[in-house]
Amino acid sequence: MLTLGQLKEATCSKSTYASKFLPYVIDTCDKFSINTPSRMLNFLAQVGHESGGLFYTEELASGSAYEGRADLGNTQKGDGIKFKGRGLIQITGRANYKAVSAALGTDFILNLTLLGGKNVTKCSDVQLKNAAASAGWFWNNRKLNALADQIDIIKSIDAGNNLVVFKKITKVINGGYNGLLDRLNRYKAGLSYFL
């Protein structure tokens, strides 16, 4: 089972934030079979980057950049701002909100902020739970456990197949390689806790 130390170090989070999220991240890892050292470490390093160390549960930007993005399902006026990134992995777009709503049994289309309320200090327990669960759903939906299984945590993450696969995971989550160095640094910060 995931420990507080593992969660804190792999996300580069403050202890207070990691403590708040711990039970929900444990539930998420159980539910979505994020249950090996490589799966947990890779998931947490990515989540750590996306959430700024388990702090942000809502994207800082307005979301206007997503306006009219049909690839995100943003087909109605105002969808970009309405369905901006929320949750620990920043679920973005009407289509993803609809899919995560069906998967988690909560209507996030009508209750946007149930995915996360600005940041960890402003979130209710329900928001913390949904922020974590939505990240697990995204990870599972994009079959990222299968990619994480290809990373050998005994070997360096900075080269060879490990780096190739880590970049693939990053691209699935981010759409590109934004913050790649930070994601790698979080992985390395947590590594000793998973060996």
Side-chain angles (χ1 to χ4, degrees), residues 9 135 139:
E9 296 305 321
W139 182 268

Side-chain angles (χ1 to χ4, degrees), residues 7 64 119 177 181:
L7 179 59
S64 61
N119 65 60
Y177 303 111
L181 188 60

Side-chain angles (χ1 to χ4, degrees), residues 162-183:
N162 275 2
L163 182 58
V164 168
V165 175
F166 192 90
K167 287 175 77 174
K168 283 182 184 177
I169 292 171
T170 299
K171 189 164 187 180
V172 169
I173 292 170
N174 177 259
Y177 303 111
N178 291 336
L180 179 63
L181 188 60
D182 181 69
R183 296 167 201 266

Side-chain angles (χ1 to χ4, degrees), residues 4 25 27 33 35 42 50 77 90 94 106 116 126 137 155 172 175 178 194:
L4 180 60
V25 175
D27 288 348
S33 299
N35 54 9
N42 280 282
E50 293 290 319
K77 186 171 174 54
Q90 302 296 324
R94 180 183 284 274
T106 299
V126 170
W137 165 81
K155 295 180 179 173
V172 169
N178 291 336
F194 291 89

Side-chain angles (χ1 to χ4, degrees), residues 62-82:
S62 72
S64 61
Y66 307 123
E67 193 64 26
R69 289 269 306 271
D71 60 317
L72 295 173
N74 290 343
T75 56
Q76 299 178 30
K77 186 171 174 54
D79 277 358
I81 293 170
K82 190 173 181 183

Side-chain angles (χ1 to χ4, degrees), residues 6-54:
Q6 288 173 321
L7 179 59
K8 178 181 179 293
E9 296 305 321
T11 58
C12 297
S13 171
K14 289 185 177 180
S15 295
T16 52
Y17 306 158
S19 295
K20 281 187 170 194
F21 268 113
L22 183 63
Y24 308 115
V25 175
I26 288 172
D27 288 348
T28 294
C29 288
D30 288 346
K31 180 174 183 173
F32 295 105
S33 299
I34 304 169
N35 54 9
T36 68
S38 183
R39 289 176 180 187
M40 288 190 283
L41 179 56
N42 280 282
F43 174 70
L44 295 175
Q46 295 287 346
V47 162
H49 174 79
E50 293 290 319
S51 64
L54 301 180

